[in-house]
């Protein structure tokens, strides 16, 4: 009943690629979670979709941005075996402080202080160049809570996998640099979640083999 809600959620989620991921997430969660937890997670999808409305991914199809937080949450659940609801909610919201007008207080009011803390932890400080931001993330990663490390790892896995779809307009050098940075982050996040780490390493290794051929 409450799962038949996509049409009530903002327009971007009607996109076929987004809807497919949303349906997978909803179906997976429905089997395991209490109704209250499920409603909270769907509310987080709604919140993130509203905040990211109008933003797109960097792929050639310019897929609505919300596909990414839904995918990160799904990966934590399906591949990482993470069932902690606050971590899953934080995964859905993980880019809202950095990339939208959402505030920490707004997230705390709606989803609780633990969720807002996790989202804050994975938010990069403003005013840094892209390279400075990457270096900061590597240096800062060991200080993160387990929940934040899990979100960070699933986020990295999603983005490194996405490189295979060729971000529009990226040079080979930029793509190679992104893989290298993924490896550095993986190295400092070791010991967080064996399955997600193995999948990220495998994705990076597959790429290296392609480059060597
Ligand atoms: Zn992200």
């Amino acid at each position: 009943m409450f799962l038949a809600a996509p049409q009530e959620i903002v327009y971007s989620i009607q996109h076929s690629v987004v809807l497919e991921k949303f349906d997978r997430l909803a179906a997976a969660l429905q089997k395991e979670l209490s109704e209250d937890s499920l409603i909270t997670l769907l509310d987080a999808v709604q919140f993130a979709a509203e905040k990211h409305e109008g933003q797109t991914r960097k792929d050639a199809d310019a897929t609505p941005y919300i596909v990414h937080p839904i995918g990160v949450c799904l990966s934590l659940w399906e591949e990482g075996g993470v069932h902690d609801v606050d971590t899953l909610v934080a995964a859905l919201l993980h880019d809202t402080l950095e990339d939208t007008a959402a505030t920490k207080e707004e997230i705390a009011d709606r989803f609780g202080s633990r969720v807002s803390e996790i989202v804050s932890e994975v938010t990069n400080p403003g005013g840094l160049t892209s390279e400075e931001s990457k270096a900061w993330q590597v240096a800062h990663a060991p200080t993160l809570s387990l929940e934040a490390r899990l979100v960070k790892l699933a986020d990295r896995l999603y983005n490194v996998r996405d490189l295979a779809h060729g971000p529009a307009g990226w040079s080979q050098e930029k793509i190679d640099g992104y893989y290298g940075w993924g490896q550095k982050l993986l190295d400092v996040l070791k010991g967080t979640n064996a399955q997600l780490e193995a999948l990220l390493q495998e994705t990076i290794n597959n790429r290296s083999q392609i480059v060597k051929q």
Side-chain angles (χ1 to χ4, degrees):
M1 14 117 211
F2 43 84
L3 278 184
Q7 68 273 18
E8 292 163 18
I9 295 180
V10 294
Y11 179 74
S12 62
I13 215 157
Q14 300 294 325
H15 186 283
S16 60
V17 176
V18 180
L19 199 52
E20 186 262 325
K21 264 209 168 63
F22 174 85
D23 284 345
R24 258 175 67 195
L25 179 67
L29 299 179
Q30 195 174 23
K31 284 187 212 148
E32 305 268 347
L33 292 182
S34 69
E35 187 168 328
D36 279 356
S37 298
L38 197 50
I39 288 171
T40 301
L41 275 150
L42 295 183
D43 190 36
V45 173
Q46 170 89 35
F47 181 89
E50 283 172 5
K51 294 297 180 185
H52 288 294
E53 182 71 1
Q55 298 177 351
T56 56
R57 296 289 291 168
K58 292 182 177 128
D59 57 68
D61 297 333
T63 310
Y65 196 85
I66 187 63
V67 75
H68 166 63
I70 291 175
V72 171
C73 181
L74 190 61
S75 175
L76 277 174
W77 178 275
E78 282 186 341
E79 299 178 305
V82 176
H83 288 194
D84 174 64
V85 174
D86 283 345
T87 307
L88 296 168
V89 169
L92 289 166
L93 307 182
H94 79 271
D95 281 327
T96 58
L97 288 182
E98 197 164 309
D99 297 336
T100 81
T103 65
K104 194 176 170 187
E105 294 69 33
E106 193 180 9
I107 292 175
D109 285 348
R110 188 149 157 182
F111 300 102
S113 57
R114 184 166 175 244
V115 169
S116 81
E117 281 304 325
I118 302 168
V119 178
S120 291
E121 280 189 87
V122 298
T123 300
N124 302 326
L128 300 180
T129 65
S130 168
E131 288 312 308
E132 285 168 349
S133 170
K134 289 189 179 83
W136 182 87
Q137 288 178 62
V138 172
H140 189 66
T143 71
L144 299 176
S145 66
L146 173 64
E147 294 86 347
R149 290 159 66 102
L150 284 166
V151 173
K152 200 90 192 154
L153 202 50
D155 182 40
R156 203 52 21 220
L157 178 60
Y158 187 104
N159 284 333
V160 170
R161 279 175 171 163
D162 236 17
L163 289 178
H165 305 295
W170 278 33
S171 66
Q172 195 56 51
E173 190 185 357
K174 188 170 178 183
I175 293 174
D176 290 346
Y178 204 81
Y179 276 100
W181 173 52
Q183 182 68 60
K184 279 185 193 160
L185 260 182
L186 172 58
D187 290 344
V188 290
L189 290 171
K190 282 265 164 67
T192 300
N193 180 289
Q195 299 97 295
L196 293 175
E197 287 160 35
L199 288 166
L200 179 52
Q201 189 64 68
E202 187 185 308
T203 310
I204 294 171
N205 291 350
N206 286 345
R207 161 68 186 190
S208 308
Q209 281 162 12
I210 293 167
V211 170
K212 272 184 214 146
Q213 280 167 8

